[in-house]
Amino acid sequence: EEYYSCQYVLRGHDDGISSLAWDPLGKKLATCALDGSLFVWDALTATELGRAKKQKFTNILCVKWSPDGKMLVTGSQENHVDVWDASKYPILHMCSWSGHSAWVESVDWSSDGEYIVSASRDCSTMLWEASSLRSQNQAMEAQVVDGHTADISCVKYAPDGLSLATGSYDGTVIIWECTKHPFEIKFSFHAAIDGISSISFSFDSKRLVVGGK
C-alpha cells in the first residue's frame, strides 16, 4: 500500500489559497489567494520565482497556465479576467478584460493557446481571443454563450480542443461544440447533484468526471 508524505510547505500568501495550477512541464506551480496575490514557485526546489498583486484589492479566485507556460490567466471577485506575463520575473500584469457582471469563478485556456474561456456567477460563459495578445494589449470583443440558469462554477476545455464543458449550481452540465463560433450546445444533462463545483475531462477527451454537493 502506497503512502504519500508532504515534501514542502509553500508560504507567502496572507489569506486563503483559492486555486493552484501546475505549468505544462510540471516544473512550476502557480497559486492565487483571497488576498489578491499571485505567486509562481519552482516546484522542484519549493522556492518563490515571482509574485504579483492586484492593484485594487480583490480576491483572485482561479488561475490557469497558457499551453506554452509563459502566461497566466486569473479570474477575480472584481468580475475581471486578467492576463499575466509569467515568462520572466517579477510577474507582469498584461491586461484586464471586463464583461462579466459577477465574480469570475473559473477560467481555462484552449490547448492551441488561441482562446481563453471564463465562467461567472452571472450565469454566462465568455470566450476571449487570446491570440490578440501577440499584437496588442487587449483581447477581441468577447463572445458570450448562455445556457445555464444559475451561477457557473467551472469550465474546462477537452484536451482535444473540440469540446468545452461548463458546470453550474443549477445542477446541469453543458457540453459545447468548440469548432463553431459562437459555441453551440452538443448536449446537456442534469448530474443529479445539488450544484456542480468541479469538472474534468479524461486525457483522451472521451469521459467527463463531475463533482458537487
Side-chain angles (χ1 to χ4, degrees):
E1 188 173 352
E2 188 174 4
Y3 293 91
Y4 294 91
S5 60
C6 178
Q7 288 188 307
Y8 305 111
V9 176
L10 306 177
R11 302 186 186 279
H13 295 289
D14 295 325
D15 205 337
I17 295 173
S18 52
S19 182
L20 45 82
W22 290 99
D23 83 317
L25 296 179
K27 296 181 178 180
K28 293 184 288 187
L29 184 70
T31 59
C32 61
L34 302 180
D35 61 1
S37 65
L38 175 67
F39 281 68
V40 173
W41 311 84
D42 185 318
L44 303 180
T45 63
T47 56
E48 178 190 326
L49 296 176
R51 68 172 71 186
K53 197 163 188 175
K54 294 276 288 180
Q55 291 183 352
K56 179 181 178 182
F57 178 80
T58 184
N59 299 347
I60 300 179
L61 301 176
C62 48
V63 60
K64 283 292 173 66
W65 286 91
S66 61
D68 62 9
K70 295 181 179 180
M71 293 182 287
L72 291 164
V73 60
T74 60
S76 73
Q77 287 185 359
E78 196 179 10
N79 310 342
H80 288 170
V81 174
D82 292 279
V83 180
W84 310 79
D85 182 354
S87 63
K88 51 187 178 296
Y89 307 103
I91 303 169
L92 299 177
H93 185 255
M94 297 177 66
C95 60
S96 185
W97 303 333
S98 59
H100 287 293
S101 59
W103 297 359
V104 178
E105 295 226 336
S106 183
V107 290
D108 201 13
W109 218 302
S110 63
S111 58
D112 59 9
E114 295 295 309
Y115 296 97
I116 290 170
V117 66
S118 57
S120 170
R121 286 193 176 188
D122 62 9
C123 307
S124 74
T125 303
M126 302 191 79
L127 179 71
W128 311 86
E129 190 170 343
S131 57
S132 64
L133 288 166
R134 298 170 188 157
S135 59
Q136 56 185 4
N137 194 27
Q138 60 183 12
M140 302 295 287
E141 184 176 352
Q143 299 179 32
V144 182
V145 289
D146 296 306
H148 292 287
T149 59
D151 303 354
I152 303 175
S153 57
C154 45
V155 60
K156 186 68 177 178
Y157 270 104
D160 62 13
L162 301 178
S163 301
L164 177 83
T166 53
S168 169
Y169 292 120
D170 63 11
T172 63
V173 174
I174 297 179
I175 308 298
W176 304 85
E177 170 62 60
C178 293
T179 59
K180 300 177 181 179
H181 292 175
F183 292 164
E184 294 183 358
I185 296 177
K186 278 187 175 181
F187 60 90
S188 64
F189 60 92
H190 193 278
I193 301 173
D194 293 332
I196 309 299
S197 58
S198 183
I199 51 177
S200 183
F201 280 97
S202 61
F203 182 76
D204 60 6
S205 303
K206 294 181 179 179
R207 292 180 293 174
L208 182 74
V209 63
V210 178
K213 297 179 181 179

